[in-house]
Amino acid sequence: MAFIDTIKARAKADKKTIVLPESMDKRTFEAAEKIIKEDIANVVIIGTPEEIAKNGAGYDISKATIIDPFNDPNKQKYIDKFVELRAKKGVTPEDAQAQMEKDYMYYACLMCKCGDADGAVSGACHSTGNTIRPALQLLKTKPGISSVSGFFLMEVPNCTLGENGMFVFADCAVNTDVDSEKLAEIAKLSAESFEALAGKDAKVAMLSYSTKGSAKHDDVTKVAEAVRIAKEKFPDLVVDGELQLDAALIPEVASLKAPDSDVAGKANTLVFPSLEAGNIGYKLVQRLANAGAYGPVLQGLSMPVNDLSRGCVADDIVGTVAITAVQAQMQG
């Protein structure tokens, strides 16, 4: 069974309520129809009657919950919650209402915060920043976590490396500037994500162009320091580095370059030293190996909110909703 089919089956076993705020995009309705037909999640779509009629025409969304952000009976509850959460920033009820009516992602996050939904998926026609900003402001990060990061669950066909071709690549989507502390945190979150979604023990490689001091540079030192911090702060985490990619994945190379490592040659969770490297890396594998790339999935938030590529198709939205539902299950 393909990875995404396994995730869909897990989502169906304990259905969660996922909000889709992009009623201005026809792909939302195509995806919603499939999600409902496959019984993956309870779907909430936020939109005015005009938006629903215009963009939902031809799709059977009769079993979806439609929320009109201008005439929702729960609206005052969400306005009050918005003001409560952002009072220190000077947000007034008028400000809250205007923001919710202008940007439905705020409405989606408030539904999650108030317990009326379990997660949200956006980004088909909005930037990553537009997806993350409301989540950070209203849902915030998990206790003890300093920032949100983004990973891709990669499924490489006909591959025995990693977990039979399954990998987490991070961070590929969010953080433009990472120091050693943040890389260590990304390593911990990525391991948890791999284990939650793949159901196998994570083996985390902190990647570099150097293996165990074979090159000297501040960029190498940053990764080596991240490994030290990760091992100190998260003693149960199976992590090593700095490792070149071949040393991380190929047993024969690992035996030469890092013979004493418990990760080298066996890594399934790859933490890249920069957003630049991570983004290029996942796209290379996706395009050259014809790999499935599920994400960017966000990690570190107190509730699951996930981003979409603006080039996504409806099936990508369906898969991301399934992943979001499973994340919600894991958070209880």
Side-chain angles (χ1 to χ4, degrees):
M1 183 182 286
F3 160 74
I4 202 63
D5 294 325
T6 302
I7 292 295
K8 286 179 179 180
R10 289 171 63 186
K12 289 173 68 171
D14 179 16
K15 280 172 64 179
K16 298 298 180 182
T17 299
I18 307 299
V19 188
L20 302 176
E22 293 181 305
S23 57
M24 63 295 298
D25 194 302
K26 291 183 184 296
R27 290 171 292 179
T28 294
F29 297 91
E30 184 183 351
E33 182 180 62
K34 293 183 177 185
I35 293 161
I36 293 164
K37 185 176 182 180
E38 295 184 48
D39 202 29
I40 293 167
N42 301 313
V43 178
V44 176
I45 302 174
I46 300 175
T48 64
E50 294 77 18
E51 288 166 328
I52 302 298
K54 177 184 175 183
N55 298 308
Y59 297 108
D60 181 5
I61 54 164
S62 56
K63 293 185 179 179
T65 299
I66 307 299
I67 301 293
D68 178 355
F70 292 88
N71 296 289
D72 177 16
N74 287 319
K75 186 173 183 177
Q76 190 59 49
K77 175 175 71 171
Y78 301 141
I79 291 172
D80 293 344
K81 178 60 71 173
F82 198 152
V83 172
E84 174 193 329
L85 293 168
R86 301 293 289 170
K88 291 182 180 178
K89 297 294 183 180
V91 172
T92 66
E94 293 75 20
D95 296 333
Q97 179 173 335
Q99 189 68 53
M100 291 159 57
E101 291 173 353
K102 183 178 75 172
D103 185 343
Y104 299 168
M105 189 58 186
Y106 280 88
Y107 216 103
C109 289
L110 287 161
M111 290 189 70
C112 293
K113 189 69 176 180
C114 290
D116 296 329
D118 301 300
V121 173
S122 185
C125 56
H126 291 88
S127 70
T128 295
N130 286 119
T131 298
I132 294 177
R133 192 177 305 109
L136 283 175
Q137 291 179 3
L138 300 173
L139 300 177
K140 307 190 186 305
T141 55
K142 293 178 181 177
I145 300 300
S146 67
S147 63
V148 175
S149 52
F151 70 88
F152 279 82
L153 201 299
M154 306 296 296
E155 188 175 26
V156 185
N158 306 312
C159 178
T160 59
L161 303 177
E163 194 63 48
N164 291 318
M166 190 81 72
F167 301 87
V168 156
F169 285 16
D171 178 355
C172 302
V174 179
N175 293 288
T176 52
D177 296 303
V178 287
D179 56 17
S180 298
E181 288 277 356
K182 191 169 285 188
L183 277 176
E185 185 174 89
I186 290 170
K188 172 62 172 173
L189 289 170
S190 299
E192 291 174 351
S193 295
F194 182 87
E195 291 176 354
L197 294 174
K200 303 290 184 179
D201 292 338
K203 301 177 185 68
V204 184
M206 307 289 274
L207 299 179
S208 176
Y209 59 84
S210 167
T211 297
K212 300 291 187 176
S214 64
K216 306 295 182 185
H217 190 275
D218 288 348
D219 289 343
V220 175
T221 302
K222 178 181 78 171
V223 177
E225 177 66 5
V227 174
R228 186 194 67 76
I229 293 168
K231 288 183 174 181
E232 183 179 286
K233 290 180 70 173
F234 315 114
D236 295 334
L237 183 64
V238 180
V239 59
D240 203 10
E242 83 284 5
L243 295 171
Q244 291 163 286
L245 184 70
D246 55 355
L249 297 182
I250 310 299
E252 295 80 5
V253 178
S255 67
L256 295 171
K257 293 187 174 183
D260 299 323
S261 174
D262 55 357
V263 170
K266 302 185 286 284
N268 53 29
T269 303
L270 306 181
V271 176
F272 290 80
S274 68
L275 181 63
E276 189 174 45
N279 193 268
I280 293 168
Y282 103 78
K283 288 181 186 294
L284 271 172
V285 175
Q286 179 186 30
R287 300 302 179 182
L288 297 185
N290 196 30
Y294 303 99
V297 182
L298 303 180
Q299 55 187 8
L301 286 165
S302 65
M303 295 184 75
V305 168
N306 282 316
D307 191 19
L308 297 163
S309 164
R310 277 176 281 181
C312 70
V313 297
D315 284 340
D316 296 327
I317 302 175
V318 175
T320 303
V321 165
I323 289 170
T324 307
V326 170
Q327 285 181 305
Q329 292 172 358
M330 302 301 290
Q331 291 189 336

